[in-house]
Amino acid sequence: MFDEEAKEKVKKAIEDETRGAIECWGETYSSMHEGYAVLKEEVEEAEECSKIINNKLDMLWNCIKRGNGDKAFIVSEIRGYAEQMALEAIQIAAVCNKIDATGLQMG
């Protein structure tokens, strides 16, 4: 369960990311194919973060079981990749916003 204030901050981050993408690359994609390709790339980047997090989680578990290793460092790495994954998720939502605008103008 997310705090309502946190939800609003995420929505604002998505709006800001959408606005930045529009300023940089234009209001819509040139085609739905382009929108799909950009969305696919962002999803793949989020998936890569997820895979790394899972690998780090396995490393953490092995350190816990053996009673050695730098657990704090591994947790710090997981946090960093989780933050990166959150940013990727915001980009995914922003791309979806542009796809919506593209579809409306093409449909």
Side-chain angles (χ1 to χ4, degrees):
M1 180 179 203
F2 288 99
D3 175 74
E4 286 303 315
E5 185 178 344
K7 286 181 186 178
E8 290 305 313
K9 288 179 180 179
V10 169
K11 287 179 184 178
K12 182 174 182 339
I14 293 166
E15 291 170 7
D16 291 347
E17 184 66 23
T18 303
R19 194 169 17 270
I22 288 169
E23 288 172 6
C24 199
W25 305 106
E27 194 169 324
T28 62
Y29 293 108
S30 61
S31 68
M32 291 298 286
H33 288 89
E34 180 188 19
Y36 170 82
V38 174
L39 181 59
K40 178 76 171 155
E41 178 184 356
E42 296 304 334
V43 168
E44 287 173 352
E45 290 170 357
E47 287 173 337
E48 184 62 27
C49 287
S50 179
K51 288 176 187 175
I52 293 169
I53 289 170
N54 277 302
N55 288 337
K56 298 290 180 184
L57 192 58
D58 289 342
M59 289 172 60
L60 178 62
W61 181 237
N62 287 328
C63 289
I64 291 168
K65 289 188 297 187
R66 287 189 307 250
N68 63 9
D70 191 347
K71 294 178 245 354
F73 179 73
I74 295 170
V75 168
S76 175
E77 287 185 313
I78 291 170
R79 180 183 307 111
Y81 282 105
E83 290 172 1
Q84 183 62 39
M85 191 165 62
L87 294 171
E88 296 296 344
I90 288 167
Q91 287 184 323
I92 290 167
V95 170
C96 288
N97 287 343
K98 280 191 66 174
I99 287 173
D100 284 346
T102 301
L104 292 173
Q105 291 192 13
M106 299 193 117

